[in-house]
Amino acid sequence: MTDPVATPPAPAEAPERRPTDWKGNVMQRRIARRYAAERRFHAMGLGAVLLSVGFLAFLLVTMIGNGASGFRRTEVLVPVDFAHASIRLDPASFRGPGRDAALAAADFEGVLFESAQQKFGGGSFKLLSEGAWLAVRNKVADNPDILKGQAAIWVPASSAIDRAAKSGAADADLDRVRKVTEVRTSFDLSFLTGADSTDPTMVGVWGAFKGSLLTMLVTLALAFPVGVLSALYLEEYAPRNRWTDLIEVSINNLAAVPSIIFGLLGLAVFLNTMNLPRSAPIVGGLTLALMTMPVIVIAGRNAIKAVPPSIRDAALGIGASRVQVVFHHVLPLALPGILTGTIIGMARALGETAPLLMIGMRAFVSAPPGGLTDPATVLPVQIFLWSDEVSKGFVEKTSAAIIVLLVFLMAMNGLAIYLRNRFERRW
């Protein structure tokens, strides 16, 4: 009689496990390939960093090399004989309440070029800058008594002589001037305190710098609070539904929209609909705020998400309200990340040109703006305009203006980084 219970089959014999032969040829080749792959990755990463540093160094060396001479100006010492000039100027008219009107009406250009003609002979108009007479006017404004006699005044040389004096190249006009009077090349303070001009020896960046400063203030005053409050609402209060998802997708898409589109939006809304003044810092700031706001919202939401939920739960557990949790705990802890996004957004706004061209901030403005509604331009647009000039004297001025823009950018970022580190909290 057979056993009704079937005998289970014997388990298959497990293969014998052998220790890895790390010294075998196969394993040695695999290990060599792994190390080679790591070395290639390390070399590619280091190469990428060195390439970036090389491009940055090339940019800085090129800009500093070309722009350093833009901060200097060549001047010529011209003796002006006011007492015996054919154009007589009364010292008494340059004092008192009518001083500004007398300075504006006086023919200083005629007096200067009459003296230059006597000193240098024919063709003296080629030796001096178009705005050289402004130096004479400033001297008279400081001391009207010089009109009673003769005064030696340093006036800017022409662009050709200026470039020849800085480069050391041979120039017939420069040699001609040096034979009869003194020539000096020194730091040009008027480049930092002046505004735009048609003569490269008379241009300055203060007008564009002040325009950029006012425009950035408007941008920051609008984009930062609205962006932070939007990020807080979307993360802490907004219900999770399709409308919230649609808003989030729209904000993400706005951050990638080309800047020229925001320029068209500013043109249509602020100029054509609201009739705000053209070429004004307030319009530029409003337009750039629209462009910067999505960046701040996205960075703010990511920073708020990074705050641990346990902090919210602990605050709610001891009786804090939702507003107290947000403004006493969540926002201070997320502030460093929010400021990082603000730095990125403001740096992008400072270097933008296209949207500002659309709202008319490429106009020739020869005086710094006095307020948010005055005509103004900004540094990137000023650089763009100078780079398009025919005169060779604008080449070094363009590079010098780029140096000023980079210093402005680093100063703004440095302040933001200091504030971020100042308010940073660790948990």
PDB file of all heavy atoms in Angstrom, residues 89-108 137 140 147:
ATOM      1  N   LEU A  89      32.447 141.469 -21.844  1.00  0.00           N
ATOM      2  CA  LEU A  89      31.548 140.921 -20.829  1.00  0.00           C
ATOM      3  C   LEU A  89      31.708 141.740 -19.563  1.00  0.00           C
ATOM      4  O   LEU A  89      32.838 141.990 -19.115  1.00  0.00           O
ATOM      5  CB  LEU A  89      31.873 139.447 -20.562  1.00  0.00           C
ATOM      6  CG  LEU A  89      31.763 138.512 -21.781  1.00  0.00           C
ATOM      7  CD1 LEU A  89      32.250 137.121 -21.414  1.00  0.00           C
ATOM      8  CD2 LEU A  89      30.330 138.466 -22.296  1.00  0.00           C
ATOM      9  N   ASP A  90      30.583 142.194 -18.997  1.00  0.00           N
ATOM     10  CA  ASP A  90      30.593 143.022 -17.797  1.00  0.00           C
ATOM     11  C   ASP A  90      30.540 142.133 -16.557  1.00  0.00           C
ATOM     12  O   ASP A  90      29.592 141.365 -16.376  1.00  0.00           O
ATOM     13  CB  ASP A  90      29.381 143.959 -17.825  1.00  0.00           C
ATOM     14  CG  ASP A  90      29.376 144.905 -16.626  1.00  0.00           C
ATOM     15  OD1 ASP A  90      30.422 144.966 -15.927  1.00  0.00           O
ATOM     16  OD2 ASP A  90      28.339 145.552 -16.395  1.00  0.00           O
ATOM     17  N   PRO A  91      31.556 142.242 -15.647  1.00  0.00           N
ATOM     18  CA  PRO A  91      31.532 141.396 -14.437  1.00  0.00           C
ATOM     19  C   PRO A  91      30.303 141.639 -13.573  1.00  0.00           C
ATOM     20  O   PRO A  91      29.813 140.718 -12.921  1.00  0.00           O
ATOM     21  CB  PRO A  91      32.819 141.814 -13.707  1.00  0.00           C
ATOM     22  CG  PRO A  91      33.700 142.383 -14.761  1.00  0.00           C
ATOM     23  CD  PRO A  91      32.779 143.040 -15.752  1.00  0.00           C
ATOM     24  N   ALA A  92      29.778 142.830 -13.551  1.00  0.00           N
ATOM     25  CA  ALA A  92      28.629 143.135 -12.688  1.00  0.00           C
ATOM     26  C   ALA A  92      27.373 142.363 -13.108  1.00  0.00           C
ATOM     27  O   ALA A  92      26.509 142.060 -12.275  1.00  0.00           O
ATOM     28  CB  ALA A  92      28.349 144.640 -12.719  1.00  0.00           C
ATOM     29  N   SER A  93      27.287 142.032 -14.405  1.00  0.00           N
ATOM     30  CA  SER A  93      26.082 141.323 -14.865  1.00  0.00           C
ATOM     31  C   SER A  93      26.049 139.863 -14.405  1.00  0.00           C
ATOM     32  O   SER A  93      25.003 139.215 -14.494  1.00  0.00           O
ATOM     33  CB  SER A  93      26.005 141.367 -16.398  1.00  0.00           C
ATOM     34  OG  SER A  93      27.123 140.715 -16.978  1.00  0.00           O
ATOM     35  N   PHE A  94      27.192 139.345 -13.932  1.00  0.00           N
ATOM     36  CA  PHE A  94      27.230 137.940 -13.496  1.00  0.00           C
ATOM     37  C   PHE A  94      27.126 137.815 -11.978  1.00  0.00           C
ATOM     38  O   PHE A  94      27.521 136.809 -11.400  1.00  0.00           O
ATOM     39  CB  PHE A  94      28.532 137.272 -13.977  1.00  0.00           C
ATOM     40  CG  PHE A  94      28.640 137.249 -15.474  1.00  0.00           C
ATOM     41  CD1 PHE A  94      29.408 138.198 -16.142  1.00  0.00           C
ATOM     42  CD2 PHE A  94      27.939 136.311 -16.212  1.00  0.00           C
ATOM     43  CE1 PHE A  94      29.496 138.187 -17.526  1.00  0.00           C
ATOM     44  CE2 PHE A  94      28.035 136.293 -17.590  1.00  0.00           C
ATOM     45  CZ  PHE A  94      28.800 137.231 -18.254  1.00  0.00           C
ATOM     46  N   ARG A  95      26.624 138.859 -11.361  1.00  0.00           N
ATOM     47  CA  ARG A  95      26.334 138.826  -9.928  1.00  0.00           C
ATOM     48  C   ARG A  95      24.872 139.186  -9.723  1.00  0.00           C
ATOM     49  O   ARG A  95      24.255 139.819 -10.562  1.00  0.00           O
ATOM     50  CB  ARG A  95      27.222 139.825  -9.175  1.00  0.00           C
ATOM     51  CG  ARG A  95      28.720 139.511  -9.248  1.00  0.00           C
ATOM     52  CD  ARG A  95      29.480 140.439  -8.319  1.00  0.00           C
ATOM     53  NE  ARG A  95      30.907 140.162  -8.300  1.00  0.00           N
ATOM     54  CZ  ARG A  95      31.791 140.766  -9.086  1.00  0.00           C
ATOM     55  NH1 ARG A  95      31.388 141.717  -9.927  1.00  0.00           N
ATOM     56  NH2 ARG A  95      33.052 140.450  -9.029  1.00  0.00           N
ATOM     57  N   GLY A  96      24.347 138.778  -8.579  1.00  0.00           N
ATOM     58  CA  GLY A  96      22.984 139.145  -8.263  1.00  0.00           C
ATOM     59  C   GLY A  96      21.953 138.197  -8.856  1.00  0.00           C
ATOM     60  O   GLY A  96      22.273 137.124  -9.370  1.00  0.00           O
ATOM     61  N   PRO A  97      20.687 138.625  -8.833  1.00  0.00           N
ATOM     62  CA  PRO A  97      19.595 137.737  -9.258  1.00  0.00           C
ATOM     63  C   PRO A  97      19.593 137.426 -10.753  1.00  0.00           C
ATOM     64  O   PRO A  97      19.052 136.398 -11.156  1.00  0.00           O
ATOM     65  CB  PRO A  97      18.331 138.529  -8.850  1.00  0.00           C
ATOM     66  CG  PRO A  97      18.779 139.939  -8.710  1.00  0.00           C
ATOM     67  CD  PRO A  97      20.205 139.909  -8.294  1.00  0.00           C
ATOM     68  N   GLY A  98      20.192 138.278 -11.579  1.00  0.00           N
ATOM     69  CA  GLY A  98      20.205 138.014 -13.021  1.00  0.00           C
ATOM     70  C   GLY A  98      21.419 137.225 -13.480  1.00  0.00           C
ATOM     71  O   GLY A  98      21.733 137.178 -14.681  1.00  0.00           O
ATOM     72  N   ARG A  99      22.124 136.579 -12.543  1.00  0.00           N
ATOM     73  CA  ARG A  99      23.369 135.877 -12.859  1.00  0.00           C
ATOM     74  C   ARG A  99      23.132 134.725 -13.839  1.00  0.00           C
ATOM     75  O   ARG A  99      23.855 134.592 -14.833  1.00  0.00           O
ATOM     76  CB  ARG A  99      23.968 135.369 -11.555  1.00  0.00           C
ATOM     77  CG  ARG A  99      25.175 134.483 -11.702  1.00  0.00           C
ATOM     78  CD  ARG A  99      25.708 134.178 -10.312  1.00  0.00           C
ATOM     79  NE  ARG A  99      26.792 133.223 -10.366  1.00  0.00           N
ATOM     80  CZ  ARG A  99      26.621 131.918 -10.297  1.00  0.00           C
ATOM     81  NH1 ARG A  99      25.407 131.416 -10.210  1.00  0.00           N
ATOM     82  NH2 ARG A  99      27.664 131.121 -10.346  1.00  0.00           N
ATOM     83  N   ASP A 100      22.140 133.913 -13.585  1.00  0.00           N
ATOM     84  CA  ASP A 100      21.915 132.739 -14.443  1.00  0.00           C
ATOM     85  C   ASP A 100      21.536 133.157 -15.864  1.00  0.00           C
ATOM     86  O   ASP A 100      21.994 132.551 -16.840  1.00  0.00           O
ATOM     87  CB  ASP A 100      20.804 131.869 -13.843  1.00  0.00           C
ATOM     88  CG  ASP A 100      21.251 131.230 -12.530  1.00  0.00           C
ATOM     89  OD1 ASP A 100      22.478 131.137 -12.309  1.00  0.00           O
ATOM     90  OD2 ASP A 100      20.368 130.835 -11.739  1.00  0.00           O
ATOM     91  N   ALA A 101      20.716 134.178 -15.980  1.00  0.00           N
ATOM     92  CA  ALA A 101      20.322 134.646 -17.317  1.00  0.00           C
ATOM     93  C   ALA A 101      21.515 135.221 -18.067  1.00  0.00           C
ATOM     94  O   ALA A 101      21.672 135.003 -19.281  1.00  0.00           O
ATOM     95  CB  ALA A 101      19.213 135.698 -17.185  1.00  0.00           C
ATOM     96  N   ALA A 102      22.395 135.950 -17.347  1.00  0.00           N
ATOM     97  CA  ALA A 102      23.579 136.513 -17.992  1.00  0.00           C
ATOM     98  C   ALA A 102      24.543 135.419 -18.433  1.00  0.00           C
ATOM     99  O   ALA A 102      25.134 135.492 -19.526  1.00  0.00           O
ATOM    100  CB  ALA A 102      24.287 137.472 -17.024  1.00  0.00           C
ATOM    101  N   LEU A 103      24.692 134.376 -17.615  1.00  0.00           N
ATOM    102  CA  LEU A 103      25.567 133.255 -17.990  1.00  0.00           C
ATOM    103  C   LEU A 103      25.023 132.528 -19.213  1.00  0.00           C
ATOM    104  O   LEU A 103      25.782 132.070 -20.077  1.00  0.00           O
ATOM    105  CB  LEU A 103      25.698 132.278 -16.817  1.00  0.00           C
ATOM    106  CG  LEU A 103      26.547 132.759 -15.627  1.00  0.00           C
ATOM    107  CD1 LEU A 103      26.424 131.788 -14.475  1.00  0.00           C
ATOM    108  CD2 LEU A 103      28.011 132.902 -16.041  1.00  0.00           C
ATOM    109  N   ALA A 104      23.718 132.416 -19.299  1.00  0.00           N
ATOM    110  CA  ALA A 104      23.115 131.708 -20.438  1.00  0.00           C
ATOM    111  C   ALA A 104      23.213 132.529 -21.725  1.00  0.00           C
ATOM    112  O   ALA A 104      23.310 131.956 -22.823  1.00  0.00           O
ATOM    113  CB  ALA A 104      21.649 131.385 -20.127  1.00  0.00           C
ATOM    114  N   ALA A 105      23.214 133.870 -21.595  1.00  0.00           N
ATOM    115  CA  ALA A 105      23.204 134.714 -22.799  1.00  0.00           C
ATOM    116  C   ALA A 105      24.593 135.086 -23.285  1.00  0.00           C
ATOM    117  O   ALA A 105      24.774 135.459 -24.451  1.00  0.00           O
ATOM    118  CB  ALA A 105      22.399 135.982 -22.514  1.00  0.00           C
ATOM    119  N   ALA A 106      25.610 135.003 -22.429  1.00  0.00           N
ATOM    120  CA  ALA A 106      26.960 135.444 -22.803  1.00  0.00           C
ATOM    121  C   ALA A 106      27.571 134.517 -23.855  1.00  0.00           C
ATOM    122  O   ALA A 106      27.377 133.296 -23.812  1.00  0.00           O
ATOM    123  CB  ALA A 106      27.846 135.499 -21.562  1.00  0.00           C
ATOM    124  N   ASP A 107      28.346 135.095 -24.743  1.00  0.00           N
ATOM    125  CA  ASP A 107      28.980 134.335 -25.832  1.00  0.00           C
ATOM    126  C   ASP A 107      30.378 133.878 -25.395  1.00  0.00           C
ATOM    127  O   ASP A 107      31.399 134.367 -25.889  1.00  0.00           O
ATOM    128  CB  ASP A 107      29.066 135.199 -27.094  1.00  0.00           C
ATOM    129  CG  ASP A 107      29.566 134.397 -28.283  1.00  0.00           C
ATOM    130  OD1 ASP A 107      29.643 133.148 -28.174  1.00  0.00           O
ATOM    131  OD2 ASP A 107      29.873 135.016 -29.321  1.00  0.00           O
ATOM    132  N   PHE A 108      30.424 132.934 -24.467  1.00  0.00           N
ATOM    133  CA  PHE A 108      31.711 132.404 -24.009  1.00  0.00           C
ATOM    134  C   PHE A 108      32.408 131.618 -25.109  1.00  0.00           C
ATOM    135  O   PHE A 108      33.633 131.564 -25.153  1.00  0.00           O
ATOM    136  CB  PHE A 108      31.504 131.519 -22.781  1.00  0.00           C
ATOM    137  CG  PHE A 108      31.029 132.261 -21.571  1.00  0.00           C
ATOM    138  CD1 PHE A 108      29.740 132.100 -21.084  1.00  0.00           C
ATOM    139  CD2 PHE A 108      31.881 133.137 -20.913  1.00  0.00           C
ATOM    140  CE1 PHE A 108      29.311 132.783 -19.979  1.00  0.00           C
ATOM    141  CE2 PHE A 108      31.453 133.832 -19.790  1.00  0.00           C
ATOM    142  CZ  PHE A 108      30.156 133.657 -19.324  1.00  0.00           C
ATOM    143  N   ARG A 137      32.790 129.270 -18.993  1.00  0.00           N
ATOM    144  CA  ARG A 137      31.593 129.759 -18.297  1.00  0.00           C
ATOM    145  C   ARG A 137      31.635 129.415 -16.803  1.00  0.00           C
ATOM    146  O   ARG A 137      31.277 130.250 -15.953  1.00  0.00           O
ATOM    147  CB  ARG A 137      30.337 129.123 -18.922  1.00  0.00           C
ATOM    148  CG  ARG A 137      29.035 129.697 -18.394  1.00  0.00           C
ATOM    149  CD  ARG A 137      27.845 128.861 -18.790  1.00  0.00           C
ATOM    150  NE  ARG A 137      27.897 127.532 -18.193  1.00  0.00           N
ATOM    151  CZ  ARG A 137      26.937 126.615 -18.342  1.00  0.00           C
ATOM    152  NH1 ARG A 137      25.915 126.876 -19.114  1.00  0.00           N
ATOM    153  NH2 ARG A 137      27.044 125.446 -17.765  1.00  0.00           N
ATOM    154  N   VAL A 140      34.004 131.777 -14.993  1.00  0.00           N
ATOM    155  CA  VAL A 140      33.402 133.099 -14.809  1.00  0.00           C
ATOM    156  C   VAL A 140      32.326 133.049 -13.725  1.00  0.00           C
ATOM    157  O   VAL A 140      32.190 133.990 -12.921  1.00  0.00           O
ATOM    158  CB  VAL A 140      32.825 133.609 -16.139  1.00  0.00           C
ATOM    159  CG1 VAL A 140      32.037 134.896 -15.934  1.00  0.00           C
ATOM    160  CG2 VAL A 140      33.937 133.817 -17.158  1.00  0.00           C
ATOM    161  N   LEU A 147      37.057 138.574 -15.577  1.00  0.00           N
ATOM    162  CA  LEU A 147      36.692 139.282 -16.813  1.00  0.00           C
ATOM    163  C   LEU A 147      37.439 140.607 -16.948  1.00  0.00           C
ATOM    164  O   LEU A 147      37.459 141.203 -18.022  1.00  0.00           O
ATOM    165  CB  LEU A 147      35.179 139.541 -16.849  1.00  0.00           C
ATOM    166  CG  LEU A 147      34.292 138.286 -16.895  1.00  0.00           C
ATOM    167  CD1 LEU A 147      32.827 138.677 -16.810  1.00  0.00           C
ATOM    168  CD2 LEU A 147      34.556 137.502 -18.175  1.00  0.00           C
TER     169      LEU A 147
END
